[in-house]
Amino acid sequence: MKQIKLVITLLFLFAVGMGYAQNSGHISGDVCFNGMFYIPDSLIGAEKVESKVRANSWLNLNYNNGGFTLGARYEFYLFPLIDFEKIGYKGQGITHYFADYKTDLLQVTVGTFYEQFGSGLSFRAYEDRQLGIDNSLLGARFRVNPYKGVAVKGVWGIERNNFDFDYTKRSDMIRGIDGEVSLDQIFEKMQEKGFSLAFGGSFVSKFEKSTEYQGLIPPEKIPQNVGLYAYRINFGFKGFRLEAEMASKINDPNLTNDFIYKKGEALLVTTTYSQKGFGVSASFIRADNMDFRSQRNISATTPLLGINYIPAINRQYSYQLLGNYSYASQPNNQIGFQGQVNYQIPKKSKLGGKYGTDLTFNYSRFHTIEQIPVEEALSLGTPSGTDGYTSSFFKFGKDLLYQDIGFDVTKKINADWKLMLGYNYIDYNLLILQGHGELAHIHHITSEVTYRINRKHALRGELHALFTKQDMGDWIYGMLEYSISPNWFFSVGDQYNYGNQAEAMRIHYYNFSVAYVVGATRIAANFGKTKEGILCIGGVCHAVPASYGFGLNITTKF
């Protein structure tokens, strides 16, 4: 790995030197510092930490000259924020470096890179800095466009495992190829008539040397090569669109599935229809034994070394209180659907008023899949080493994971005032999704009002209430934000667990923040408390410990 970094560093310096010699080329990048001074608070469970001052920081540097691009990123996480340390994201070094050459016909990348096939059911190498996820590959990638409407790409590499960069000791690697044909680009008359149609397919193979699993499965019976293939179709006609992808994984005994040999399956279907003032969408997903990782002994409780991506299709919220009950996608065991309708009551009508009124209704429901143990598993008393279970493809299991019934109304009253009201009823399986508790029944009321004082000054307020007899009881949240465009933002907020049965746990989680933006630079500071919980983005989650203290975030781009 040191040799690869040296070669890319020398290429970078050479390219930059040549670019300046020829008075061409462009350097860009970004810098971020996200720090926190931690204060212990036994009441909320904020423990005393070894280093009170902690920070996540990085520097991205890219050089582009025509079709040639070089890039590198340095990360300093030796004393990371405590939620990152808990998932093992701790260390420092040059974590991302690449050389890339691109023309209309061909693109070749050497080094570390991110890529996705289709919707990600077969392969997704990506990063999400909020979650501490970076599963980039170190290796090579190519993309070829031999004809208009035809695209082929392939990848080979070793997946990043936080700050463990001794790739010479790794016994696993990933190989994959993906192709797509867009008929509407080949036959342009289809576009003229409002049609779009594309077909695609991919194959991904993971290699890992076999090792014995607790004496239950001999090494020779653990497959070293595990393949996953997927095929997809995208169809559109005017305002209608259908996207579907089916994936299948061969026998992949691993820690997340109790080392069974049953093949994995996943189906994702999404349809949308929209026209002026009206839109409707519906999605269906089924995932059965589809947790696919570079190493078979990785636990399901960590986001490390994931090769593919099973999305959460439910509606995503940014509301503070509903963040405590975000749905975590279940790659090995889920089936469900989601539907949403958006309608705008026409402007200048009796109900719509001068500016119209926006209505949104959504419903989603997810269950475990049906699982009937095979006879061999029953006789052995363990599923390990067997096919585990059988399952009817479209049959819902008995356990409800998550259900959301919600609607909201957004109304612009006049040029200065805007109001939003919403309601959600949620069933949330705490035991399966968070490892404790029972099925929680939750009512959530949302209100938001925005007042534009003048051209530069605006005031926005939020008031949310959450009611449940399970878990921690009732909550209320209030937030007030004042902005002076385009530079200053001030806010104060508070979550109060007033309905907790334990009076001592009726805690205010307050937060004060200020931000200043100038050009491409943003400086933000905050002080307050954060509740222990989970942070989910797109169905991928990690645990967030309780914290209390001062925070400082600085980002700039150049």
Side-chain angles (χ1 to χ4, degrees):
M1 179 180 174
K2 290 182 178 179
Q3 290 84 353
I4 296 175
K5 285 185 178 180
L6 178 61
V7 169
I8 293 180
T9 301
L10 291 174
L11 285 172
F12 184 87
L13 294 173
F14 175 75
V16 172
M18 289 296 294
Y20 276 104
Q22 299 173 14
N23 196 27
S24 62
H26 174 69
I27 294 178
S28 63
D30 62 87
V31 180
C32 179
F33 173 89
N34 187 18
M36 184 85 177
F37 176 81
Y38 289 97
I39 302 172
D41 188 330
S42 59
L43 191 60
I44 68 172
E47 301 176 352
K48 183 178 180 179
V49 295
E50 185 177 348
S51 300
K52 291 184 178 181
V53 179
R54 292 170 171 265
N56 301 344
S57 54
W58 66 86
L59 165 66
N60 272 311
L61 192 61
N62 296 297
Y63 173 77
N64 177 264
N65 192 342
F68 188 60
T69 304
L70 286 169
R73 178 171 68 234
Y74 173 75
E75 297 184 15
F76 187 83
Y77 282 68
L78 277 180
F79 306 96
L81 301 179
I82 57 176
D83 50 329
F84 285 75
E85 185 174 50
K86 286 185 179 295
I87 62 173
Y89 204 90
K90 181 178 181 179
Q92 63 88 29
I94 300 176
T95 60
H96 185 58
Y97 45 93
F98 68 92
D100 182 89
Y101 180 71
K102 184 178 181 180
T103 67
D104 292 338
L105 171 65
L106 175 69
Q107 180 180 5
V108 178
T109 307
V110 178
T112 56
F113 58 88
Y114 304 99
E115 186 56 82
Q116 179 170 319
F117 295 167
S119 60
L121 295 185
S122 62
F123 176 72
R124 188 191 193 202
Y126 74 110
E127 69 165 336
D128 191 310
R129 295 208 164 270
Q130 287 184 274
L131 295 175
I133 293 176
D134 188 333
N135 62 347
S136 59
L137 293 191
L138 171 62
R141 173 187 61 185
F142 74 87
R143 294 174 177 169
V144 183
N145 299 95
Y147 305 100
K148 184 178 181 181
V150 178
V152 179
K153 53 189 175 183
V155 299
W156 174 91
I158 301 174
E159 194 172 7
R160 179 180 173 183
N161 185 10
N162 284 352
F163 287 86
D164 181 7
F165 296 132
D166 195 350
Y167 290 97
T168 60
K169 295 182 180 179
R170 294 279 290 272
S171 60
D172 55 283
M173 67 178 69
I174 299 170
R175 299 156 292 190
I177 189 166
D178 178 85
E180 184 168 291
V181 178
S182 301
L183 295 181
D184 55 293
Q185 293 187 29
I186 298 174
F187 306 103
E188 295 184 357
K189 288 187 177 181
M190 291 180 64
Q191 295 185 30
E192 295 174 3
K193 295 183 179 180
F195 283 97
S196 64
L197 181 61
F199 298 94
S202 58
F203 179 79
V204 179
S205 173
K206 176 200 79 170
F207 172 82
E208 183 188 7
K209 289 183 179 180
S210 298
T211 55
E212 190 173 2
Y213 171 63
Q214 296 181 354
L216 297 175
I217 305 175
E220 63 271 16
K221 290 189 176 181
I222 294 181
Q224 294 191 118
N225 285 287
V226 176
L228 188 156
Y229 60 88
Y231 42 91
R232 61 187 184 269
I233 180 174
N234 296 331
F235 170 76
F237 177 65
K238 295 184 178 179
F240 175 79
R241 189 163 188 86
L242 168 67
E243 299 180 4
E245 184 166 10
M246 179 77 183
S248 182
K249 176 167 66 94
I250 67 171
N251 48 9
D252 179 25
N254 62 71
L255 186 61
T256 70
N257 67 8
D258 292 325
F259 284 82
I260 64 173
Y261 284 85
K262 185 183 186 298
K263 77 172 186 177
E265 299 172 314
L267 174 63
L268 174 63
V269 181
T270 300
T271 60
T272 59
Y273 175 75
S274 63
Q275 62 180 35
K276 185 178 180 180
F278 175 76
V280 59
S281 65
S283 301
F284 171 85
I285 192 167
R286 183 183 189 272
D288 177 7
N289 194 21
M290 282 296 289
D291 194 305
F292 191 32
R293 306 196 186 220
S294 291
Q295 296 179 8
R296 64 180 65 90
N297 287 312
I298 294 294
S299 168
T301 60
T302 174
L304 293 176
L305 299 176
I307 299 173
N308 65 337
Y309 171 67
I310 307 297
I313 60 174
N314 59 295
R315 188 178 180 187
Q316 305 295 307
Y317 299 102
S318 59
Y319 307 144
Q320 287 283 336
L321 299 181
L322 282 187
N324 298 326
Y325 304 100
S326 298
Y327 179 63
S329 185
Q330 306 294 298
N332 278 346
N333 189 1
Q334 71 172 343
I335 182 171
F337 59 88
Q338 186 265 353
Q340 182 169 314
V341 177
N342 297 83
Y343 178 69
Q344 184 183 68
I345 302 176
K347 299 177 181 179
K348 299 182 180 179
S349 64
K350 290 184 178 181
L351 293 177
K354 181 179 179 180
Y355 298 95
T357 301
D358 295 321
L359 307 176
T360 301
F361 173 81
N362 69 280
Y363 178 66
S364 58
R365 186 179 181 94
F366 301 90
H367 280 246
T368 57
I369 61 175
E370 178 194 46
Q371 294 184 342
I372 302 173
V374 298
E375 290 296 329
E376 187 180 5
L378 292 173
S379 62
L380 292 173
T382 176
S384 299
T386 74
D387 283 342
Y389 58 88
T390 61
S391 180
S392 178
F393 194 89
F394 288 106
K395 190 169 183 179
F396 281 56
K398 64 177 181 179
D399 292 320
L400 174 64
L401 296 171
Y402 178 86
Q403 177 178 242
D404 175 22
I405 305 171
F407 67 87
D408 56 68
V409 181
T410 302
K411 173 70 175 176
K412 187 175 181 180
I413 300 172
N414 55 40
D416 299 324
W417 288 90
K418 185 178 180 180
L419 176 67
M420 189 277 283
L421 297 173
Y423 169 79
N424 292 84
Y425 171 77
I426 291 176
D427 290 312
Y428 188 91
N429 196 318
L430 286 163
L431 182 60
I432 296 178
L433 297 176
Q434 295 190 15
H436 65 86
E438 56 185 310
L439 184 66
H441 310 290
I442 301 158
H443 300 270
H444 182 267
I445 299 173
T446 305
S447 64
E448 180 178 329
V449 61
T450 302
Y451 172 55
R452 193 182 71 162
I453 301 171
N454 55 39
R455 188 173 60 88
K456 287 191 173 184
H457 295 250
L459 191 65
R460 185 174 70 89
E462 294 183 17
L463 184 62
H464 305 171
L466 185 148
F467 309 98
T468 179
K469 294 181 180 179
Q470 298 78 29
D471 203 21
M472 293 171 290
D474 302 336
W475 290 75
I476 190 168
Y477 170 75
M479 189 277 293
L480 194 62
E481 179 185 83
Y482 180 69
S483 60
I484 306 173
S485 180
N487 302 114
W488 287 99
F489 301 86
F490 306 87
S491 71
V492 55
D494 183 28
Q495 293 185 61
Y496 179 39
N497 189 194
Y498 73 93
N500 200 305
Q501 292 183 357
E503 186 173 351
M505 298 305 294
R506 296 173 185 173
I507 302 170
H508 288 274
Y509 292 87
Y510 52 81
N511 192 282
F512 304 89
S513 65
V514 57
Y516 177 71
V517 180
V518 54
T521 300
R522 181 179 186 271
I523 303 171
N526 70 282
F527 171 73
K529 301 183 179 184
T530 300
K531 173 191 168 296
E532 180 183 8
I534 60 171
L535 173 64
C536 296
I537 300 175
V540 181
C541 308
H542 85 204
V544 177
S547 63
Y548 177 41
F550 297 88
L552 176 66
N553 177 270
I554 303 173
T555 59
T556 187
K557 296 181 180 181
F558 54 88

